[in-house]
Amino acid sequence: MKLIQTSRYFYYGLAAVISFVTLGCEGLDDWSDLKSIDLFENKNEDGQGSNAFKRYETPIMSSQPLVEFIYDPSSKFSKLYNAEIRKVCDYTKIPYHAITITSWNSTLKIIPGTRVIVVYDTKKLNDASVDVLLNFVSNGGTLFIPFANEDKRMAFLLGFKPEAEYGTDATAKGWHFNTPVLPGLNGKSFAANTLLYGFSEQNFSPKVKVLATAANRPNCPTIIENPIGSGKVILYNTSGDFSKMDRGFLFAGILKGLEGIPYPVANTATIFLDDFPSPQYDIVAEPIKTELNITTSEFVQKVWWPDMRDLAKEYKIPYAAMLTFDYRNKIVPPFTLDQWNSKKIKSKEKVESLPDWLVNDVKKNGHELAFHGYNHVSLLKKLWKNPQFIETSMNTIKKKWKISNYGKLPVTYVPPSNDIDRMGIRELKRTMPSIKYMCSLYIGQLEDGGNREFDYDPFERNFFDYPRISSGFYMQDDEKYTIQSMYLYTGIWTHFVHPDDVYQIPATADKRSAGYSLRNQFTLGWEKSKNSNRALFPEFKSFIKQFTNTYPQMRFVNGEVGGSLVMNWRASRYSHKSEKGLYTVKEINPTDDSKKYWFMYGSVANADRIESQLKSQMVLFSKTPFIDGYLYSVYSSKPKLTVIDLNYKSPKERAQQVAINNLVKADLAKFNVDVMNFIKGGDSS
């Protein structure tokens, strides 16, 4: 029996979190001495507790990993990739270990059970490493190299021709997915203007599998799989760099070596309605003026919200509606509600403010009333010169919430413009203690409120971050890539839209913006467009349909439920065990709510075996095309999943493996002879 211990999670304070995120695992081979703490329960003035906050642990490296990274502490990008891939394994609960190149060169030992080895730059590996890695691959392992660097010792492993001259392609740009390297993106391109500077196609043998090509050069391979023996080498053919946004893209290369290994996902999707409900105005503006000839307030009340409400009913979406009460950017008292109350409507013999009517309709239809601020001024020290006034504005909102019977105080918060600093977070928690979930951005700058993870906020340990990854009513291929990249390793999609997105068009935009960051840069109409067959609402509805078709088990939840589910998923721990041809991933100390959602990669060749095993466990599953096979989405009523261990070899298969290894050695010997002939000017064939 082989027991593989998963990563664990310890929360141990801000300094260590920042160290982990920025430095990866350098010098952190043993974190066992770090103490974990319990996040204390808060009580706000209404007696509402934030008791969902659980004991949380930071990751340590596994002594029995599935994924091992050989990294160079002196290389910025080697450390960066190590940190990003390690964070992915942190999310997916996949056992992970990292070793410095120096340590690797001195030992040349692969930890038993390792299925994927990642090396950013092979040039500092000693010569003996090449034989060790080749043996690892030949016996069924996967070597993942996400960087194209010239190392002639690796030619056979990379799938080069003997006559390869290691030429660089200086014209190839972007990535085009010949296979669905990310689900739903087969035939799509992204980063189309980014030069890759990878190896030219003339270097590669026709034996390699091409999973992706350049966006502008269909003959230039950008993701190459080179089968060797029972294993494979995956090369991302670029000398450019990847970042946090590309984690799932990197993880796709790793998953090729983790076939049949299930990993738990949060399985949540949340749509935030930013700046809604909010003050409304009788302004006529394009493109709604041409399309419908109604005011902005009429558009929100009679068109936008009814359409969004119907969409929610069709797809069972509980929105997080982010209330904002004033747009005058006031940062000194008095903080009044005259803007909120300025637009009145009559309904059922009652005259009330339009925003109040919208709030009640949002509540009546089962959506969350969340908080976007008294006004739209970000809680930044440079803007709020007197932080005491933040408390005054919050008191206005708390009184309004109570007087108007909105229900419990909000627990979900989106910073205006997604910006908030340390001061703002401190004051928000002090003055609106009901808030539990901070929903800014997954990307951006940490000090300004961005670059958040699905973790406790680095500036306030009693906020859990549930950041957003995408926005808008239409998504271009680059944004679809970003969404799918994060979803692959989290099972989370967080998205926001605004009622006024339709009005942000180039014709009326601030000229200094040069068209950037416009939420309707193509001047589309809401339901019909004057000069296009596309429109915002049909585009959004079409994307929702595509996404739910890709992931039929995906559950839409509001911000509060999503934050709680994701926090529990992050706090969970799992064990991995391989025994007698079966592989089991099991939650340690599961809660009463034992149902789990999982993702798992499986090739077409093994699909029947995988699906037969899933059916025998009476679990629900669906699949979507992914790379050369499928990404399985699995729902289990138990906190564990057992699948066929595709790496298990019977005695007969072990005997066959010896013959396979001998063939690889023979191929290598012939390759080396052909290389020497080519160097001497002979015929390598």
Side-chain angles (χ1 to χ4, degrees), residues 230 649-663:
S230 298
K649 290 183 174 64
S650 65
K652 180 180 178 181
E653 289 170 325
R654 288 196 293 271
Q656 292 172 339
Q657 185 64 53
V658 174
I660 291 172
N661 292 343
N662 288 334
L663 287 174

Side-chain angles (χ1 to χ4, degrees), residues 23-97:
L23 298 180
C25 60
E26 181 180 3
L28 298 179
D29 288 327
D30 184 4
W31 290 7
S32 59
D33 59 329
L34 296 172
K35 302 295 184 181
S36 61
I37 63 172
D38 285 307
L39 297 181
F40 52 83
E41 178 177 342
N42 291 309
K43 292 290 184 181
N44 61 29
E45 57 200 47
D46 293 332
Q48 299 173 10
S50 57
N51 54 7
F53 281 11
K54 298 176 61 177
R55 188 181 186 91
Y56 195 72
E57 302 176 342
T58 53
I60 63 172
M61 290 192 291
S62 173
S63 61
Q64 294 177 291
L66 291 176
V67 178
E68 185 164 12
F69 197 116
I70 304 171
Y71 79 104
D72 180 3
S74 66
S75 166
K76 171 185 174 182
F77 289 108
S78 183
K79 290 196 300 182
L80 173 66
Y81 283 43
N82 176 35
E84 299 295 1
I85 291 173
R86 181 173 182 176
K87 191 63 179 176
V88 169
C89 292
D90 171 12
Y91 278 121
T92 57
K93 323 294 183 179
I94 290 173
Y96 180 88
H97 190 267

Side-chain angles (χ1 to χ4, degrees), residues 186-384:
N186 190 30
K188 300 292 185 180
S189 300
F190 74 97
N193 295 318
T194 301
L195 283 166
L196 301 180
Y197 293 110
F199 294 114
S200 60
E201 63 262 34
Q202 291 82 5
N203 294 290
F204 293 99
S205 163
K207 297 178 183 179
V208 301
K209 296 180 181 179
V210 177
L211 306 178
T213 58
N216 67 332
R217 294 274 312 283
N219 293 324
C220 179
T222 54
I223 301 180
I224 297 95
E225 176 184 345
N226 183 31
I228 299 177
S230 298
K232 64 192 76 72
V233 178
I234 305 293
L235 170 68
Y236 282 14
N237 188 26
T238 178
S239 57
D241 59 294
F242 297 109
S243 67
K244 180 178 181 177
M245 301 295 286
D246 305 299
R247 284 176 179 171
F249 183 40
L250 291 169
F251 186 50
I254 291 172
L255 273 179
K256 282 287 292 180
L258 298 178
E259 183 179 1
I261 303 293
Y263 57 97
V265 292
N267 194 41
T268 65
T270 301
I271 297 176
F272 297 80
L273 308 182
D274 281 11
D275 298 302
F276 177 80
S278 63
Q280 298 298 319
Y281 310 97
D282 286 328
I283 299 170
V284 179
E286 295 291 359
I288 297 303
K289 177 181 178 180
T290 295
E291 182 184 356
L292 300 169
N293 195 29
I294 57 177
T295 66
T296 56
S297 62
E298 289 174 317
F299 170 67
V300 171
Q301 176 195 356
K302 298 178 181 179
V303 179
W304 186 89
W305 173 236
D307 281 347
M308 294 298 289
R309 185 177 57 202
D310 290 345
L311 180 69
K313 290 178 181 177
E314 182 176 355
Y315 288 95
K316 297 180 174 58
I317 304 171
Y319 297 125
M322 313 307 303
L323 279 67
T324 306
F325 295 83
D326 190 279
Y327 283 112
R328 288 173 299 184
N329 295 336
K330 286 191 64 177
I331 55 173
V332 295
F335 297 110
T336 62
L337 296 171
D338 50 319
Q339 275 206 345
W340 181 266
N341 295 320
S342 62
K343 178 63 180 177
K344 303 287 186 179
I345 63 167
K346 185 177 181 180
S347 61
K348 295 183 180 179
E349 308 303 321
K350 177 183 178 182
V351 177
E352 62 183 328
S353 74
L354 175 55
D356 274 335
W357 181 87
L358 290 169
V359 166
N360 289 327
D361 204 56
V362 167
K363 283 178 56 182
K364 183 174 67 176
N365 284 277
H367 304 289
E368 177 187 9
L369 295 180
F371 190 44
H372 199 35
Y374 162 76
N375 53 25
H376 212 273
V377 180
S378 303
L379 299 183
L380 300 172
K381 187 175 182 179
K382 65 182 180 181
L383 299 179
W384 293 83

Side-chain angles (χ1 to χ4, degrees), residues 54 568 572 587-596 639:
K54 298 176 61 177
N568 290 335
S572 61
E587 185 177 8
I588 301 169
N589 300 322
T591 61
D592 292 337
D593 180 17
S594 60
K595 60 184 179 183
K596 298 298 171 188

